[in-house]
Amino acid sequence: GKTTKYGSLKALHKKWTNLQGQSELSKEDLVQVVGYKLTRGKMRPLMRFAEAMHDNEVRKASKAAIAAIPDARKACDALTALTGIGVATASVCLAAVDDRLPVMSDEALEAVLGEPEHSKKYDLDSYQRLLEACSAKAKKLGGLWTPRAVEEALFSASLEQPAAKRKRGD
């Protein structure tokens, strides 16, 4: 499996899913979530921002964000007020605690919204469209499917095939 300096994707995913149902995130939780995000996706200089934050500011912002769920816009706004946290990172935090919200991943944006590989928009409008699409697919699939599970399935499938071979699917 995939491993970075933050750990193995499998171990980081387990820690990430253990955050389900929390009413707030600590600075330590945020650092873990950012490590998971960077291991799943492309390396970006995000960790220094997470590591520089104070525990109380992370707890306050995350508590407000989680309380705003299922309003994804309001929840993202609370987290993106933190330095270095954009909509994509906010989505990883929110999806960790509530499976009604998907992660805003490159794989999901490409597969669900048909976003081109090199010109994706990581903004609230794109996240809202992704949330609506993953929610509709989860509802259509029924059973235990959630918006988060739909995105995770798309991400997992992408690990099996190179990006150049990916096709936009329904």
Side-chain angles (χ1 to χ4, degrees), residues 3 10 12-13 21 33 35 43 47 62 73 75 77 80 84 98 100 108 131 135-136 147 149 154-155 162 166-167:
T3 301
K10 187 176 182 179
L12 291 164
H13 181 264
V33 168
M43 279 294 171
M47 189 57 84
S62 64
R73 284 181 182 275
D77 282 344
T80 58
D98 194 311
R100 292 175 294 172
L131 170 59
S135 298
L154 292 167
F155 174 74
R166 265 188 245 143
K167 299 264 188 278

Side-chain angles (χ1 to χ4, degrees), residues 37-87:
K37 176 186 189 290
L38 294 173
T39 300
R40 269 187 70 159
K42 295 175 181 72
M43 279 294 171
R44 293 186 168 95
L46 299 174
M47 189 57 84
R48 63 191 163 104
F49 294 110
E51 289 172 340
M53 286 184 207
H54 294 285
D55 187 62
N56 60 347
E57 70 177 323
V58 174
R59 288 180 185 276
K60 186 179 175 191
S62 64
K63 194 173 195 130
I66 294 164
I69 295 171
D71 184 335
R73 284 181 182 275
K74 207 168 168 183
C76 281
D77 282 344
L79 285 173
T80 58
L82 294 169
T83 303
I85 304 295
V87 176

Side-chain angles (χ1 to χ4, degrees), residues 13-47:
H13 181 264
K14 186 175 175 33
K15 288 178 181 177
W16 179 75
T17 56
N18 286 340
L19 296 172
Q20 184 73 84
Q22 304 239 121
S23 61
E24 68 179 17
L25 298 176
S26 66
K27 174 187 171 176
E28 185 184 334
D29 294 331
L30 179 66
V31 167
Q32 222 172 58
V33 168
V34 171
Y36 173 63
K37 176 186 189 290
L38 294 173
T39 300
R40 269 187 70 159
K42 295 175 181 72
M43 279 294 171
R44 293 186 168 95
L46 299 174
M47 189 57 84

